[in-house]
Amino acid sequence: MTGHKFIQRGAYKGKGIAVFTSGGDSQGMNAAVRAVVRTGIYLGCKVFFIREGYQGMVDGGDNIIEADWSAVSSIIHMGGTVIGSARCMDFKERWGRLQAAENLVKRGITNIVAIGGDGTLTGADTFRAEYTDLLNELESTGRITKEEREKYKFLNVCGLVGSIDNDFCGTDMTIGTASALRRIIEALDAISSTAYSHQRTFIMEVMGRNCGYLALLSAMASEADYVFIPEDPPNANWPEKMCKKLKQEREMGKRLNIIILAEGAIDVEGQPITAEQIKKVVVDNLHQDTRITILGHVQRGGNSVAFDRVLGSRMGAEAVMALMEAEEGATPCLISLEGNQAIRLPLMECVKQTKAVAQAMKAKEWDKAIELRGRSFSRNLETYKMLTRLKPVVDPNMKPVTVAVMHVGAPACGMNAAVRSFVRNVAWYSGNVLGIQNGIEGLIEGNYKKLSWRDVTGWVSVGGCFLGTKRTLPGDQLPEISAKIKELNIQGLLIIGGFEAFQTCLQLFEGRPKHPELMIPMVVIPSTISNNVPGTELSIGCDTALNEITEICDRIRLSAQGTKRRVFIVEVMGGHCGYLATLAGLAGGADATYIHEETFNVQDLQQDCYQLAVKMAEGVQRGLVLRNEKASSNYSTDFIHRLYSEEGKGVFSTRMNVLGHMQQGSTPTPFDRTFATKMAAKASDFLLKHINNPSTCASNKANFQPHTACLLGMLKRQYQFSPIIELKSQSNFEKKIPLVNWWLKLRPLLRILSKPSGVHGDEAIELTIEDRLTDWGHHD
């Protein structure tokens, strides 16, 4: 990993850089374009838009224009691409690339950021490879001078993948995938209610000509009964298997069935499977009222979700840094996301691996195709299949176990999805699950319900928590808790919640010496909108909350559409943790954000106010300022509102909004649903493994080690169980926050994109494709 660098403003003064989008559009492209422009301007570059993709590069003229700061104002939320995209046949011809090279040279452009799919990125690499020959020809024919030829002889290329299909190898998520998934899930949730009313079967076709990612993830996030994807084609008897499953579901009382189909779905012989074909099978065999919905380009439309805005912003800024740091004529790189880390990969190696998936599918090597998609894809497929099996199989060789699940802390979207996954995973292995209601208090009172496979049907899409939750910690009630664990014969415990859930597990662990009943395996799944739990980089629920804040800020800004120069001061939740304020600030294009972790004073507030006034003098009409609820005990939201109102007199008006508990509400996002599903599956494996392991079971107390009480978190691209006692030293219990927060490194980027001053920490690491493949086995 490279050292943390600080790049000063104007460090690359005079360098020419251009950004363009090509191929199919995707939500989040505008965030990337905005980041490229503003990061480039910050570094002193001359930044150009190339409109209409490669066609604009060939045509030149007004299609290649210099961009200023305000040119990318108020675009971060928009879907599509404001600079246009087009399929270009001219660029595939040498004369077209020759014309494009001349247009770049005439404007002093030696660096380009290409945003698109594998066709776009392959074209950029081809262009760079023959650039020297193109310039030689342009000089020999007198179209450029010898001086121009020498001054602009190298072209550096950096690629960003913009594709809703998430079909590109080398990155966890492509720009636009999260937004497309959100559109699909919104449609599925809406369809489910009408299908339930009429006992219908719905077949939904989603995009994915060569990749089943959207279909698979939307199936997992919606409890769909059946899914068809190109990487895992069904055998010839799929009509019989599908009908048997649908029939059994109805016989068990289910009123609706959902079948999801990727547009590129095929059978094992490579023959297409169509929605009409599936409908005919269902109607002919089951006589069910069956309807087809083809979402089409709805999936590409609408505003981008918070994840895509943050992803586009980080990738766009990192692309500029990669180009500025590259040697002349360097191999083109791809900016990728691995977990929470921005990395740089050799572009064409990623393209080559992406094409290898298509080749494997063409050769009907299905297992190889799934393997090439990565461990994450195969794990998603495996988890989905397990959760949609109709009835749990009873293993006569495995003795039944009893485990309990409860929530401690505030509610967060995705908690129900976690419980559903946990119950079904345990039930599959013949275990019993006790759902403890209302946390520690409910456990002491014996307030629980035995949860079966069918009890949790429909839970994945519902926000809040059906089991109920409270913040009460064990404290001095360990004797009562121990007695109840013994009475109910609880052999393992899953705690889902925020910082209080972590504290609860820690207190139970520390109570083991005096209370042997607590010597059972325990695991915590962090679920809190604040994302303030040690031992994990992400918590279930924070993605939904982030989207809620971002969408509310979008609406707040729109409310002032006809009002000139208005600044909104918005208070968000998070306790002492500034995660929501920081990420929402990045996603919402905030002008300033105030958090507890980064001290500020009245001079800072005045400076931010002044910079807002300057921006508004340049044409910006609306401003957004976010404050974390506990950023400062003295500089309250009301104080900041009053200060801005006073300092901005005559320049802008000010309004204040406290978002409150609406941030905890809403429907869980696809990310929170699938994240919760996979976390709970891993937690169940953890508990069952230790319960059935003689060396760590409660009867062998001498061997009971700290690794049997853990927190399951996402750390550096992989799921990791951290002993709860080890996390004690990594926590600030007074403020209820971790001592180290990865997202703080995004703060310099937030400043660069919001105001023309600050510093940017280079957050990328150099990584070869071989390194990445080595890590894939541990990451899903």
Side-chain angles (χ1 to χ4, degrees):
M1 183 171 178
T2 58
H4 194 71
K5 301 176 187 174
F6 292 99
I7 311 300
Q8 296 302 324
R9 186 180 179 194
Y12 295 95
K13 191 171 178 62
K15 284 203 171 187
I17 184 170
V19 57
F20 70 95
T21 53
S22 180
D25 64 296
S26 63
Q27 306 98 317
M29 281 183 165
N30 287 326
V33 169
R34 171 179 176 268
V36 169
V37 170
R38 291 195 169 173
T39 306
I41 290 172
Y42 170 81
L43 294 174
C45 303
K46 290 185 68 176
V47 187
F48 294 84
F49 291 141
I50 301 179
R51 299 189 181 277
E52 312 305 334
Y54 283 121
Q55 193 64 57
M57 195 185 296
V58 173
D59 294 344
D62 291 341
N63 290 301
I64 306 177
I65 58 171
E66 188 170 355
D68 59 20
W69 183 269
S70 60
V72 289
S73 293
S74 302
I75 70 167
I76 190 171
H77 64 285
M78 295 179 181
T81 165
V82 296
I83 58 175
S85 181
R87 312 280 182 184
C88 178
M89 300 309 295
D90 293 347
F91 193 78
K92 293 184 177 180
E93 305 294 333
R94 181 177 172 84
W95 69 265
R97 296 193 294 276
L98 194 69
Q99 183 65 50
E102 180 181 359
N103 289 330
L104 295 185
V105 168
K106 291 298 183 184
R107 289 164 180 79
I109 297 169
T110 56
N111 301 277
I112 57 173
V113 178
I115 308 174
D118 58 352
T120 297
L121 302 179
T122 301
D125 182 72
T126 301
F127 187 45
R128 184 209 60 84
E130 63 178 16
Y131 201 67
T132 299
D133 290 339
L134 293 173
L135 295 196
N136 288 339
E137 184 174 336
L138 289 170
E139 183 191 352
S140 65
T141 54
R143 292 168 66 176
I144 63 173
T145 65
K146 184 177 181 181
E147 290 73 25
E148 289 173 328
R149 162 74 178 78
E150 188 59 31
K151 189 174 182 180
Y152 307 119
K153 61 182 176 181
F154 291 112
L155 180 71
N156 285 330
V157 172
C158 187
L160 306 182
V161 187
S163 165
I164 69 168
D165 293 338
N166 201 32
D167 58 352
F168 199 86
C169 295
T171 186
D172 284 350
M173 288 285 274
T174 56
I175 298 170
T177 303
S179 298
L181 265 176
R182 182 70 180 269
R183 296 288 97 75
I184 294 170
I185 292 304
E186 287 172 347
L188 280 167
D189 287 348
I191 280 172
S192 293
S193 58
T194 182
Y196 186 89
S197 301
H198 298 279
Q199 296 195 55
R200 285 178 175 150
T201 293
F202 265 89
I203 302 162
M204 178 178 282
E205 181 184 298
V206 301
M207 286 185 168
R209 190 174 296 112
N210 301 305
C211 180
Y213 184 88
L214 287 178
L216 178 58
L217 268 289
S218 56
M220 189 188 297
S222 64
E223 295 188 58
D225 301 284
Y226 224 82
V227 67
F228 293 90
I229 61 173
E231 294 91 343
D232 186 41
N235 293 318
N237 68 336
W238 67 262
E240 292 82 8
K241 287 181 67 177
M242 182 183 72
C243 288
K244 180 180 179 183
K245 185 175 192 310
L246 298 182
K247 183 181 178 183
Q248 287 181 329
E249 292 275 14
R250 290 297 174 93
E251 288 173 349
M252 291 175 65
K254 192 172 182 181
R255 291 178 59 87
L256 75 150
N257 295 111
I258 301 287
I259 300 166
I260 297 179
L261 168 78
E263 62 180 332
I266 52 176
D267 62 21
V268 286
E269 299 304 319
Q271 296 302 309
I273 296 176
T274 66
E276 287 291 345
Q277 187 181 354
I278 297 170
K279 179 180 177 180
K280 188 174 188 308
V281 167
V282 174
V283 172
D284 290 352
N285 291 277
L286 302 176
H287 311 291
Q288 292 179 358
D289 186 359
T290 307
R291 307 295 170 93
I292 293 172
T293 297
I294 298 176
L295 285 187
H297 283 75
V298 167
Q299 296 158 84
R300 290 191 188 276
N303 288 357
S304 52
V305 300
F307 181 90
D308 278 327
R309 301 185 197 188
V310 174
L311 180 65
S313 297
R314 292 181 68 184
M315 285 186 167
E318 197 54 56
V320 175
M321 293 308 309
L323 288 171
M324 294 303 101
E325 293 171 359
E327 296 179 359
E328 292 185 334
T331 301
C333 74
L334 176 84
I335 303 302
S336 168
L337 184 74
E338 281 281 358
N340 280 315
Q341 183 69 56
I343 61 172
R344 303 171 189 174
L345 297 171
L347 187 148
M348 286 314 294
E349 290 189 33
C350 296
V351 171
K352 182 179 177 182
Q353 191 175 330
T354 302
K355 291 181 175 177
V357 177
Q359 292 164 359
M361 290 168 62
K362 188 176 181 180
K364 299 178 182 177
E365 297 174 336
W366 313 117
D367 290 342
K368 183 179 179 183
I370 292 172
E371 181 185 348
L372 287 169
R373 284 273 182 240
R375 177 62 182 153
S376 178
F377 189 92
S378 59
R379 177 70 181 185
N380 285 331
L381 183 59
E382 180 186 319
T383 303
Y384 171 75
K385 287 181 175 179
M386 193 287 303
L387 290 172
T388 52
R389 288 168 178 163
L390 191 62
K391 295 176 181 176
V393 175
V394 177
D395 184 352
N397 299 317
M398 183 176 287
K399 63 179 182 179
V401 299
T402 299
V403 295
V405 56
M406 67 178 177
H407 302 301
V408 182
C413 286
M415 282 180 161
N416 290 327
V419 174
R420 167 187 176 262
S421 176
F422 181 70
V423 168
R424 292 199 166 179
N425 274 278
V426 174
W428 187 256
Y429 293 104
S430 312
N432 302 311
V433 179
L434 305 183
I436 308 298
Q437 296 177 314
N438 300 317
I440 290 294
E441 293 180 24
L443 175 60
I444 293 171
E445 295 167 3
N447 188 2
Y448 70 92
K449 177 184 178 183
K450 187 175 178 181
L451 298 173
S452 67
W453 186 275
R454 285 200 59 210
D455 289 330
V456 292
T457 298
W459 282 31
V460 73
S461 61
V462 184
C465 49
F466 285 131
L467 291 179
T469 182
K470 290 193 174 181
R471 296 179 183 269
T472 308
L473 300 177
D476 57 3
Q477 300 181 94
L478 290 179
E480 294 88 339
I481 293 170
S482 302
K484 192 57 66 172
I485 286 176
K486 184 176 182 180
E487 177 191 330
L488 299 177
N489 190 34
I490 295 173
Q491 298 164 272
L493 178 63
L494 171 63
I495 309 171
I496 304 171
F499 198 91
E500 293 87 354
F502 158 64
Q503 285 180 287
T504 295
C505 189
L506 179 61
Q507 289 181 13
L508 294 178
F509 174 80
E510 292 180 331
R512 280 178 172 179
K514 290 184 179 179
H515 304 282
E517 295 82 7
L518 299 177
M519 291 188 177
I520 57 173
M522 295 179 278
V523 63
V524 176
I525 292 180
S527 180
T528 167
I529 70 168
S530 302
N531 198 31
N532 62 331
V533 183
T536 190
E537 294 176 351
L538 291 172
S539 301
I540 296 166
C542 60
D543 185 66
T544 304
L546 190 56
N547 271 304
E548 282 300 295
I549 295 168
T550 305
E551 289 173 12
I552 292 167
C553 288
D554 286 349
R555 290 197 289 272
I556 287 172
R557 281 177 142 180
L558 277 174
S559 73
Q561 193 73 52
T563 308
K564 294 231 173 185
R565 296 178 180 171
R566 177 163 286 177
V567 175
F568 297 94
I569 315 294
V570 179
E571 180 186 298
V572 302
M573 295 174 83
H576 286 94
C577 181
Y579 174 83
L580 285 178
T582 297
L583 273 290
L586 202 51
D591 298 280
T593 59
Y594 304 117
I595 63 172
H596 165 74
E597 292 89 345
E598 197 173 82
T599 57
F600 58 96
N601 55 37
V602 72
Q603 285 80 21
D604 296 322
L605 295 173
Q606 288 177 313
Q607 179 66 20
D608 290 339
C609 191
Y610 168 75
Q611 290 196 329
L612 258 171
V614 169
K615 278 199 275 189
M616 290 193 171
E618 294 174 354
V620 176
Q621 295 295 309
R622 290 175 296 283
L624 177 65
V625 175
L626 297 182
R627 177 188 177 273
N628 169 241
E629 61 182 344
K630 293 186 178 179
S632 168
S633 56
N634 293 314
Y635 299 131
S636 65
T637 304
D638 182 62
F639 175 88
I640 294 174
H641 171 234
R642 289 171 181 272
L643 184 143
Y644 270 74
S645 297
E646 184 65 29
E647 297 292 322
K649 263 184 185 174
V651 182
F652 56 77
S653 59
T654 312
R655 296 290 184 273
M656 182 178 79
N657 295 268
V658 179
L659 301 188
H661 284 79
M662 68 176 73
Q663 297 161 80
Q664 292 178 331
S666 191
T667 301
T669 60
F671 175 84
D672 277 330
R673 298 184 195 190
T674 54
F675 187 37
T677 297
K678 289 185 281 189
M679 291 277 272
K682 288 183 176 292
S684 66
D685 291 344
F686 174 91
L687 292 178
L688 293 172
K689 180 186 77 172
H690 285 295
I691 290 170
N692 291 292
N693 185 344
S695 67
T696 58
C697 68
S699 60
N700 191 352
K701 298 177 179 57
N703 292 323
F704 225 85
Q705 301 297 322
H707 67 268
T708 57
C710 289
L711 182 139
L712 173 58
M714 173 68 81
L715 291 170
K716 295 183 179 175
R717 313 200 307 261
Q718 52 188 295
Y719 295 94
Q720 186 170 314
F721 288 94
S722 302
I724 211 84
I725 192 67
E726 292 180 8
L727 298 177
K728 185 176 181 180
S729 61
Q730 301 174 26
S731 309
N732 180 333
F733 287 91
E734 180 190 354
K735 306 292 186 185
K736 293 186 178 179
I737 53 174
L739 295 178
V740 177
N741 293 290
W742 67 269
W743 49 266
L744 283 172
K745 69 184 178 182
L746 299 180
R747 299 286 298 176
L749 174 60
L750 184 59
R751 287 192 287 276
I752 282 178
L753 298 184
S754 64
K755 54 178 71 79
S757 62
V759 293
H760 174 53
D762 177 15
E763 57 167 317
I765 56 173
E766 300 289 350
L767 190 69
T768 65
I769 198 81
E770 289 78 12
D771 292 334
R772 185 178 193 281
L773 288 171
T774 302
D775 273 347
W776 264 9
H778 307 292
H779 151 244
D780 61 333

